[in-house]
Amino acid sequence: SSIGEVMVELRDFTMEGEFENINLTVRAGEIVGIAGIGGCGSEALGRALFGYERATGGELIYKGTSGRMKSPLEAIRSHIGYIPKDRDTEGLFLIYDSVWNISSANLTAMSRAGMIDHKKERETARKAVKEFRIKTPSELTNVSSLSGGNRQKVVIAKWIENHSEFLIVCSPTRGVDVGSIEFIHRRIVDTRDGGCAVLLISSELDEICALADRIAVMYRGRIVGIVPPDTPRDVLGLMMAGVPLDEAMASSSGSAAADRAGREEK
C-alpha cells in the first residue's frame, strides 16, 4: 500500500490520569500499532480520539485542522470510526438487529431527503452479512443472539461500511475464533490499502507485528519509542515493561551474543 499524507497528528496530547504528552502521526494508507499492557493508557487514548472522553491538554490535528472531538457524533461526522474493545457495551445496540447496528454509524448515507431509506438500509446489511460471513438466521435477527465472533464482525462491518477515513481499532479479535481472526485482519489491511489511516490498539504482540507499519510502545501513559514491525519481540517486550528503546536494544543484543557464545562453547 502507498502511504499518503498525514491524516492525524497528536502534539503533547494529554488526558490527566490516563496518558500524557503523546506525540504521534498516522498517515492515510498506514496502520500505526500501539503496543502496551493493560493500564498503559492506550485504550483511553482511543476513546479520547473518538470523543468518548475528553483530553485535558495538547492538540489533535485532524486532516490539517486543529480541534479535539467533542463527542462520538462529531467524530462520526468527521469520518472517524471506532471499533471498541468492549463490543457489547460500546460497539453494539444488542436489542437491535444487524440492519440497525450497521446503519447506525452511517445514517447520512442511508437517508434520502431527511428520511431513512429502509430498503437501502436493509440491502446494505444483507450485503455486509454475506461479505463478512456473519452467521445469523437473518439480518433482522437481534445481535444479542449471535456468537461473540459474529457480533464482532457486525461491529467491524458497521465501521467499514461507514467508509471511515480514520479508523481506531481496539483489540479487534478479542474472544474471536481463529477463522474470524484471519478474516478480520484481512479486512483491516484492506481498509488501510483503500487509503484509510488506522490506529490499532492491542496488547496482542502477534497482532500488532502482523498488521502495523509502525509500532508505538506505551508504558504508564507515555510513548517509550516508535519502532518498525520487524523489531525483535524481546525488545518490544522490554519496552512494554518501561525499558527505553536504546536500553532494550542493548539488552537484546547482549542476550543474543550470550546465547551465541553458549552455543559455540557446546
Side-chain angles (χ1 to χ4, degrees):
S1 77
S2 61
I3 294 176
E5 65 196 26
V6 172
M7 186 76 76
V8 181
E9 183 180 356
L10 302 179
R11 293 182 184 168
D12 291 328
F13 200 57
T14 296
M15 186 169 130
E16 218 170 292
E18 292 287 354
F19 56 83
E20 59 185 322
N21 300 342
I22 301 296
N23 291 288
L24 191 67
T25 57
V26 190
R27 293 174 179 271
E30 177 184 43
I31 297 174
V32 173
I34 297 195
I37 49 181
C40 70
S42 58
E43 289 166 25
L45 175 63
R47 290 195 299 273
L49 290 173
F50 192 61
Y52 261 132
E53 295 187 32
R54 291 289 180 92
T56 54
E59 202 174 2
L60 162 62
I61 299 162
Y62 177 58
K63 295 201 292 191
T65 304
S66 178
R68 301 176 206 148
M69 295 299 142
K70 293 177 187 67
S71 68
L73 187 60
E74 186 184 352
I76 290 168
R77 285 178 178 150
S78 304
H79 302 288
I80 297 175
Y82 175 64
I83 295 170
K85 181 177 181 178
D86 190 334
R87 56 182 167 253
D88 290 351
T89 59
E90 290 182 28
L92 293 167
F93 299 101
L94 289 176
I95 60 167
Y96 292 110
D97 55 27
S98 294
V99 175
W100 169 244
N101 273 283
I102 289 167
S103 67
S104 62
N106 207 7
L107 292 174
T108 310
M110 299 296 163
S111 303
R112 192 180 292 165
M115 299 286 285
I116 299 287
D117 181 342
H118 294 296
K119 188 167 176 238
K120 186 176 183 184
E121 209 182 18
R122 192 164 175 185
E123 274 169 13
T124 302
R126 194 180 289 135
K127 180 174 142 274
V129 163
K130 189 176 173 187
E131 194 183 325
F132 284 79
R133 301 180 204 143
I134 298 166
K135 293 194 176 85
T136 175
S138 147
E139 67 275 11
L140 297 173
T141 303
N142 281 5
V143 295
S144 58
S145 64
L146 307 186
S147 71
N150 285 298
R151 286 184 196 180
Q152 187 69 350
K153 287 182 184 177
V154 172
V155 176
I156 288 168
K158 161 179 158 178
W159 291 112
I160 287 176
E161 286 299 328
N162 189 36
H163 305 295
S164 304
E165 291 175 37
F166 174 41
L167 185 61
I168 303 152
V169 185
C170 193
S171 301
T173 54
R174 181 170 164 256
V176 167
D177 64 90
V178 175
S180 295
I181 289 172
E182 286 176 17
F183 180 80
I184 289 166
H185 281 179
R186 199 162 59 247
R187 288 314 306 246
I188 292 169
V189 169
D190 289 349
T191 302
R192 174 203 67 189
D193 292 347
C196 183
V198 180
L199 186 71
L200 171 66
I201 297 164
S202 179
S203 56
E204 298 286 335
L205 258 186
D206 287 348
E207 183 160 76
I208 293 270
C209 292
L211 299 179
D213 298 296
R214 289 186 295 134
I215 300 171
V217 182
M218 272 183 85
Y219 174 74
R220 290 191 176 173
R222 288 177 174 269
I223 290 178
V224 293
I226 298 175
V227 294
D230 58 359
T231 301
R233 296 295 171 91
D234 58 336
V235 172
L236 289 170
L238 286 166
M239 291 172 73
M240 285 166 76
V243 178
L245 173 58
D246 50 353
E247 284 179 38
M249 291 294 281
S251 172
S252 170
S253 56
S255 61
D259 286 349
R260 222 169 19 252
R263 281 198 300 276
E264 283 163 9
E265 265 177 41
K266 288 173 188 172

